[in-house]
Amino acid sequence: MSDSEQRRLALEKKRERYVWYYLGYFLFGIHIVAFVMIYAVTHAK
């Protein structure tokens, strides 16, 4: 395995981790919005 190949693989791993973080925050945010919506609907007069 060459040096450039190893560096490219490391960069891909790093990018993959960022994608997972983004996905995690995205799903977390959607759930917060959903719970707020549900709370608003159930507590509406």
Side-chain angles (χ1 to χ4, degrees), residues 22-38:
Y22 179 76
L23 204 67
Y25 281 125
F26 180 67
L27 291 173
F28 187 65
I30 281 180
H31 282 90
I32 286 178
V33 169
F35 283 128
V36 168
M37 288 287 190
I38 290 167

